[in-house]
Amino acid sequence: MNFLRYILVILISIIIGFFSYEIYENYKESEELNIFLEEASIISSLHKESSRDYARLINFDELNRDDFESTFIEIIRKAQEANNILLNSESSYLGSERELLEIATSSWLKGLETFQVSILNLVDQELTQLIEESIAGSISNLSVGDKAYSNFLSEIQIKSADENVFLPVFSEIEYTGIESNAYEFAEVIVDRATKNKSGLFLRRDISVSGVEFVPESIAITEDGHRVLLDQDISLQIVIANEGNIEETEVLILILVTNETGDTIFEKRTKINTIGPFQSKSYYLEPLEIEKGNLHEWFILVEEIENEDDVRDNIYTVKAFIPPED
């Protein structure tokens, strides 16, 4: 009798352990699924924003080079962030929905990166078959991502209905259209970009747009020389970016010479960044000059790579403090 009771206790323990394990496994799987769904919702939000910006860019309406490049950098940053969420996922969920989302994020990222490089090559170079094929390849990758994401939405909806799973917000996302023919779409993109090439064409041009003495000059002679007050003289130098992309590390050389040609002041400096079509001022430290001695301020902004016009990179101005009577 005791033996039977012992066997019964063991059987009950096994049954309880089995069901407890099943309950734990179901809880664990549900927890992993919920973590995955939260991550997937963030990915969906990131690509919703990116696809909206992408749609605006590929119309090529009233775009400048800096706007195009800066917007695309942000688009790709979000696509990389979305891809990294799955690569570094905190969830071990391995359903088919995850596989589809991985295909979507990796295909979108590859397509966007290729598209950015291809369009800029198209703008900066002559159209070649290789460039057009590269654009078509990027569109094909984006279409694969669109299709995989659409299938992900379908399967996750089915899982929600079958297992009564609560779903976070998932946006509809479409970069190119699932049924798009990549080469036909590429022809449309090439035509749009070519027609708006002037706005996207890379222009680089830095200039010295003007100077102003501090304190201001009190007169200008017939020879164009500035007449200064009897004070230490500073100079405001205005550097302009007349190109259509941001310039960094803009180098400036400043020389001040007297009327015998001796250099009394020399300085090299830089402006860290100047946005497209923007100007920045640099203020030279106050300088004591000899009265009655004509001085020349020579300002050179160093030529940048592939600069369109270097004639306005140099600016000179002559000035003097009148001698005492």
Side-chain angles (χ1 to χ4, degrees):
M1 191 69 176
N2 289 335
F3 176 76
L4 291 176
R5 183 178 300 161
Y6 176 74
I7 294 297
L8 182 61
V9 169
I10 291 175
L11 289 174
I12 292 173
S13 298
I14 291 172
I15 293 171
I16 292 174
F18 174 78
F19 281 108
S20 296
Y21 179 78
E22 284 293 309
I23 292 171
Y24 173 78
E25 284 297 304
N26 289 337
Y27 169 78
K28 188 66 176 176
E29 182 178 350
S30 175
E31 184 180 42
E32 296 298 329
L33 174 60
N34 287 332
I35 294 173
F36 166 72
L37 291 175
E38 290 176 6
E39 294 174 340
S41 180
I42 297 172
I43 290 169
S44 176
S45 175
L46 288 168
H47 273 287
K48 180 63 177 178
E49 295 174 5
S50 291
S51 62
R52 181 191 60 221
D53 291 337
Y54 175 83
R56 178 177 68 86
L57 289 185
I58 62 174
N59 284 324
F60 299 101
D61 291 335
E62 299 181 3
L63 281 178
N64 63 58
R65 179 69 169 240
D66 188 68
D67 182 32
F68 184 89
E69 288 193 341
S70 60
T71 302
F72 231 108
I73 287 171
E74 184 63 15
I75 287 173
I76 291 176
R77 185 197 66 77
K78 289 176 182 176
Q80 289 171 336
E81 181 182 348
N83 197 54
N84 288 338
I85 287 174
L86 284 181
L87 291 177
N88 303 302
S89 175
E90 297 181 2
S91 170
S92 60
Y93 180 74
L94 297 175
S96 60
E97 303 86 2
R98 182 192 186 93
E99 183 179 358
L100 287 168
L101 192 58
E102 287 176 346
I103 293 172
T105 56
S106 61
S107 297
W108 281 334
L109 177 58
K110 183 177 180 181
L112 290 168
E113 289 176 333
T114 306
F115 186 87
Q116 180 194 31
V117 174
S118 301
I119 287 296
L120 293 180
N121 284 338
L122 170 64
V123 171
D124 295 337
Q125 304 171 23
E126 292 296 323
L127 175 63
T128 65
Q129 183 178 355
L130 187 62
I131 291 175
E132 191 161 0
E133 287 177 355
S134 179
I135 293 173
S138 70
I139 291 167
S140 178
N141 281 316
L142 291 172
S143 295
V144 169
D146 288 351
K147 181 65 175 177
Y149 182 76
S150 177
N151 289 340
F152 160 78
L153 289 182
S154 297
E155 292 208 9
I156 208 69
Q157 291 290 348
I158 292 171
K159 189 174 190 65
S160 174
D162 290 346
E163 301 181 18
N164 195 29
V165 175
F166 173 78
L167 295 180
V169 176
F170 291 112
S171 301
E172 297 287 337
I173 299 171
E174 186 175 279
Y175 280 93
T176 66
I178 295 168
E179 305 301 328
S180 293
N181 180 293
Y183 280 90
E184 289 179 359
F185 200 98
E187 290 179 1
V188 173
I189 294 297
V190 168
D191 183 59
R192 289 178 187 171
T194 303
K195 288 180 178 178
N196 292 275
K197 193 170 183 176
S198 59
L200 291 176
F201 189 78
L202 178 61
R203 294 194 307 277
R204 304 188 70 184
D205 186 13
I206 292 291
S207 68
V208 185
S209 63
V211 300
E212 185 63 56
F213 285 101
V214 182
E216 293 183 12
S217 56
I218 56 177
I220 301 177
T221 69
E222 293 181 355
D223 296 328
H225 302 157
R226 310 289 180 90
V227 181
L228 305 175
L229 292 171
D230 184 9
Q231 296 181 18
D232 288 355
I233 302 300
S234 180
L235 191 70
Q236 177 189 5
I237 303 167
V238 181
I239 306 298
N241 179 3
E242 299 175 0
N244 59 5
I245 65 168
E246 182 181 62
E247 297 292 351
T248 60
E249 303 292 315
V250 178
L251 301 177
I252 307 168
L253 170 65
I254 305 160
L255 292 175
V256 183
T257 57
N258 59 24
E259 59 188 12
T260 61
D262 297 325
T263 299
I264 66 166
F265 179 86
E266 179 177 352
K267 183 170 186 177
R268 288 183 178 273
T269 187
K270 69 179 179 180
I271 294 178
N272 292 327
T273 61
I274 308 180
F277 312 113
Q278 292 182 353
S279 298
K280 284 194 175 180
S281 292
Y282 177 81
Y283 288 87
L284 193 63
E285 55 262 40
L287 179 67
E288 182 180 358
I289 64 173
E290 183 183 351
K291 297 176 184 178
N293 193 321
L294 182 65
H295 289 72
E296 180 177 48
W297 280 256
F298 173 90
I299 301 100
L300 167 69
V301 58
E302 292 194 5
E303 180 180 350
I304 56 179
E305 185 178 1
N306 299 320
E307 185 164 359
D308 287 347
D309 183 6
V310 297
R311 293 171 297 178
D312 51 8
N313 288 36
I314 296 175
Y315 196 104
T316 62
V317 60
K318 293 182 178 181
F320 66 95
I321 297 173
E324 293 180 354
D325 295 334

